[in-house]
Amino acid sequence: MKICAVSGLGAVWSNYAPDVLEGNHAIGGGEASLLRCVQHLASFGHIVTAFIPLAGPSGQVYQGVTFRPLAEAYRSLLLDGYDVLCSWSDVQAILVCPPATRRVYVQQLNDMPQALAFWRAVDAIVPASATHGRFLSQFAPPGASVLYAPLYGGVLPELWKDALPWAQRKPVVSWWSSPDRGLHHLLAIWPVVKKAVPAAELRIAYHMWRYVDGSRDFFGAPEVAYRSRVLEQNFFAAQRAGGVNVLGPISRKALAVHQGETKVWAFTFDPMCQTEGLSVSMGEAISSGTWPIARSDDALREVYAGYVQWVDSPIPDDAWRGRFADAIIHALRADVNPYEARAAEFARLFTWEAAARNLERVCQAAPKRPDHVDGFGQGM
C-alpha cells in the first residue's frame, strides 16, 4: 500500500528530525506513536510518506519512510494518489483527502470530531483503546458506518536492557507524564512520603514549567488555569519538604536511564478530559521494572489490568491521597516488587511492531463506504 501519514499534533515540542527518538530531543507520546508505526509499516513493505513538523529539508528518508513538512501534506494528498491516509488527530486531513483514498483516523488526544462532514468522510477510527472508541462513537450522527479498531501503544524493551534490578534501586519515585493528568496530587502528598522515607527522591521528567507558565492565566478554560496554579503551589510545598528534582524535557534515551533507576511510578491520575488515560507513560513504567501505582480512570484498567497496583476512588479526595501516600511508602520500604516479574511479559505483548500490524490490518480492512463523500462537498 501507498500510505500517507499526517501528524495533527502540531509542533508542541518544536520541529523535530525523523530520528528524534534516537537523539537528545524531547517528544510526546502521540508523536512517538506516529514515528514508530510508520517505520514499522515501511519495514512491512509499504510505501510510506509521513508529514510532521519537520526539522530540516523536505524529502528526508529515515528507516524507509520519506518525511516531509506539514505544509506539504494537503497538496500531496490531492495530487499524489495514496491508497490510505493515516491521520494522527488531523481532522482537516480527513476532509481534504480524495474519496478514492481510504481515510483512517488515529485518535491520540482529546479530539472529538463533531462535524457532520468528518463522519461522512472517515472510513475507520483507530482509538487508543476500546474505552476511547465507545466514548468517541457517542459523537457520531445516527447511521454513521465507521470501523473502530483500538491501537494500543507500544514499548521498546531494549531501552531498559541495562535497568537496575528493582532491589538495587534507590528510593526514587518518578513522574514522566503530562502534568495536567494529576501531578498536583503527587506533589501534595510528597511531604508525607518524604517524612516517612527520608532518603526518597521525586523525579519529574517533563517540561513542567512550560506547562505552568502557559496555563496559569488561561482563563478561557478556568479549570485549566486553576489546576496549573494548584500544581505550582503544591510544587513549592513539596520542594520545601526536599528531594524534588525536575529533570525537564529530556530525551528518550535519557528518560530510559531514569526509568531503569525508578523504584515507584506514582501515577496519581486525575484527567481533566475523557480520553487522557492511555499514554505510553504507563506502559513504559511497567516495562522498565518499576512498582507501578495508579488511580484507574478512563482506559487505564482496560489495558493495564493486573500489571499495576490500583489505588482507586471515584473522587480524588484527601482520603484517597492518604491511601496513595501509604501505597508509595509501603512500596519504597518493601524488599520485593511483585510487579517486576511481569515487566518482560508486558513488553513482549505490547510492542510497536504489534501496534503497527494492527494499524496495517485496519488500513486493509477499512471499507470504502458507498456514501463516502468528499469532506468539502456535502455536509459542510
Side-chain angles (χ1 to χ4, degrees):
M1 290 182 292
K2 185 177 181 181
I3 300 173
C4 170
V6 178
S7 171
L9 304 168
V12 176
W13 301 86
S14 76
N15 289 359
Y16 49 88
D19 63 350
V20 61
L21 293 169
E22 282 65 57
N24 296 313
H25 190 84
I27 194 169
E31 295 90 338
S33 170
L34 184 152
L35 292 173
R36 296 296 188 197
C37 284
V38 297
Q39 290 172 20
H40 280 293
L41 287 170
S43 74
F44 301 158
H46 302 294
I47 301 170
V48 184
T49 303
F51 295 86
I52 64 172
L54 182 64
S58 177
Q60 299 175 57
V61 178
Y62 180 73
Q63 298 292 334
V65 180
T66 300
F67 287 89
R68 297 170 62 179
L70 282 173
E72 299 177 5
Y74 299 162
R75 179 178 175 84
S76 179
L77 274 170
L78 292 170
L79 299 179
D80 293 338
Y82 295 98
D83 298 310
V84 180
L85 161 66
C86 290
S87 171
W88 265 258
S89 296
D90 189 332
V91 172
Q92 195 68 17
I94 297 291
L95 301 181
V96 170
C97 186
T101 300
R102 285 190 176 90
R103 309 177 196 190
V104 177
Y105 188 76
V106 186
Q107 179 212 8
Q108 291 292 305
L109 298 173
N110 297 310
D111 37 279
M112 294 295 148
Q114 299 182 49
L116 181 58
F118 171 85
W119 294 99
R120 288 184 171 179
V122 69
D123 292 304
I125 293 179
V126 180
S129 71
T131 298
H132 291 70
R134 287 190 295 271
F135 184 73
L136 184 57
S137 66
Q138 299 176 52
F139 294 82
S145 176
V146 178
L147 171 68
Y148 291 91
L151 177 68
Y152 300 125
V155 294
L156 289 177
E158 58 267 29
L159 286 172
W160 305 287
K161 58 182 176 63
D162 297 323
L164 290 172
W166 188 83
Q168 296 179 20
R169 301 183 188 189
K170 295 179 180 179
V172 174
V173 179
S174 290
W175 176 285
W176 52 75
S177 190
S178 180
D180 61 330
R181 293 175 180 153
L183 176 58
H184 62 297
H185 294 302
L186 179 56
L187 291 169
I189 63 177
W190 180 248
V192 176
V193 175
K194 184 66 175 175
K195 183 178 180 180
V197 186
E201 176 190 359
L202 173 59
R203 297 180 184 177
I204 302 170
Y206 208 91
H207 205 330
M208 187 186 77
W209 289 117
R210 185 174 70 173
Y211 164 76
V212 171
D213 292 341
S215 304
R216 69 159 68 89
D217 297 324
F218 188 35
F219 297 118
E223 70 279 9
V224 175
Y226 174 76
R227 179 167 292 197
S228 178
R229 289 170 179 241
V230 170
L231 189 153
E232 186 174 25
Q233 293 170 6
N234 290 355
F235 172 79
F236 290 121
Q239 193 177 49
R240 287 193 292 273
V244 180
N245 184 6
V246 180
L247 304 177
I250 59 178
S251 70
R252 171 61 277 170
K253 288 185 176 180
L255 177 58
V257 172
H258 287 286
Q259 290 169 331
E261 297 172 348
T262 292
K263 206 152 199 178
V264 175
W265 157 252
F267 201 27
T268 46
F269 185 54
D270 181 15
M272 298 188 68
C273 303
Q274 178 75 3
T275 76
E276 273 289 330
L278 188 63
S279 62
V280 297
S281 304
M282 179 69 85
E284 293 185 350
I286 297 167
S287 302
S288 56
T290 74
W291 184 319
I293 305 173
R295 172 178 176 262
S296 70
D297 199 341
D298 204 321
L300 288 189
R301 191 180 286 272
E302 173 202 330
V303 182
Y304 301 113
Y307 295 101
V308 176
Q309 178 182 347
W310 303 106
V311 180
D312 281 344
S313 173
I315 300 174
D317 54 14
D318 287 341
W320 167 77
R321 280 186 285 270
R323 289 190 290 112
F324 210 106
D326 290 342
I328 294 173
I329 293 166
H330 170 76
L332 291 176
R333 290 174 171 172
D335 296 323
V336 178
N337 174 7
Y339 299 92
E340 185 177 21
R342 305 176 195 178
E345 174 189 301
F346 180 90
R348 285 195 303 271
L349 294 173
F350 289 82
T351 66
W352 282 115
E353 181 178 4
R357 281 295 185 194
N358 287 337
L359 182 58
E360 179 187 45
R361 284 191 284 270
V362 173
C363 292
Q364 293 168 338
K368 290 300 298 178
R369 305 196 321 269
D371 64 335
H372 188 134
V373 299
D374 189 325
F376 282 121
Q378 304 175 48
M380 294 299 288

